[in-house]
Amino acid sequence: MGPLIRSLTLVLAVVIIQVERIKAMRSSVLLFLFWTLLVLCSLVPLKVDIEQIIEQGFSSDAVRFVAFFICFSLELIELILSCFSDHQPLSEKQTYIQVKLTYI
C-alpha cells in the first residue's frame, strides 16, 4: 500500500506542476511543503536501511536498497530545487476577473 500512495502523490505533484505551467504561474508553496514532508518522512526508512546494510550487508536486498537510495536522492534534489524562486513566466497570458454588477 505504501508504494502505491507514494506513487499517487508523485503523480499529483506532476499534475500540479503542469497546471501551474499551463496557467503561467510560479511554483506554489504547496509543492515546497510536499517535497519537505516527503524528505522528512523518508528519513526514518533511510536510517533503517543504513542500519540493515551495516548489520546484514548490502547484498541481502540490494535492489530495494538501490531503488530507495535513488528515490531518496531525487526527492532531496527536488526539495533543494524548490527552494529557489522561479523567474517570471515568459508567457504574456494574464488572468482577468469578470465582475458582474447588478443594480437593484
Side-chain angles (χ1 to χ4, degrees):
M1 190 71 169
L4 178 65
I5 293 172
R6 187 179 207 134
S7 299
L8 289 175
T9 55
L10 290 175
V11 168
L12 179 64
V14 169
V15 168
I16 290 172
I17 291 170
Q18 288 301 328
V19 167
E20 288 178 347
R21 282 185 176 180
I22 290 170
K23 292 185 176 185
M25 296 171 36
R26 292 184 177 197
S27 292
S28 64
V29 175
L30 180 68
L31 286 173
F32 174 74
L33 293 174
F34 170 75
W35 294 117
T36 304
L37 288 174
L38 195 63
V39 169
L40 287 176
C41 292
S42 296
L43 289 177
V44 174
L46 176 68
K47 180 183 180 282
V48 170
D49 283 349
I50 291 173
E51 288 175 353
Q52 283 182 352
I53 290 173
I54 291 172
E55 291 174 2
Q56 301 170 358
F58 186 74
S59 61
S60 64
D61 201 4
V63 174
R64 188 176 65 83
F65 292 141
V66 169
F68 178 76
F69 289 133
I70 289 172
C71 286
F72 182 77
S73 61
L74 290 173
E75 292 165 2
L76 192 60
I77 289 170
E78 284 291 334
L79 175 63
I80 292 169
L81 289 176
S82 68
C83 292
F84 298 107
S85 63
D86 291 343
H87 296 291
Q88 281 284 22
L90 296 176
S91 171
E92 294 296 323
K93 181 192 281 187
Q94 295 183 3
T95 319
Y96 294 101
I97 300 173
Q98 184 177 8
V99 179
K100 186 176 183 180
L101 297 175
T102 57
Y103 294 102
I104 301 178

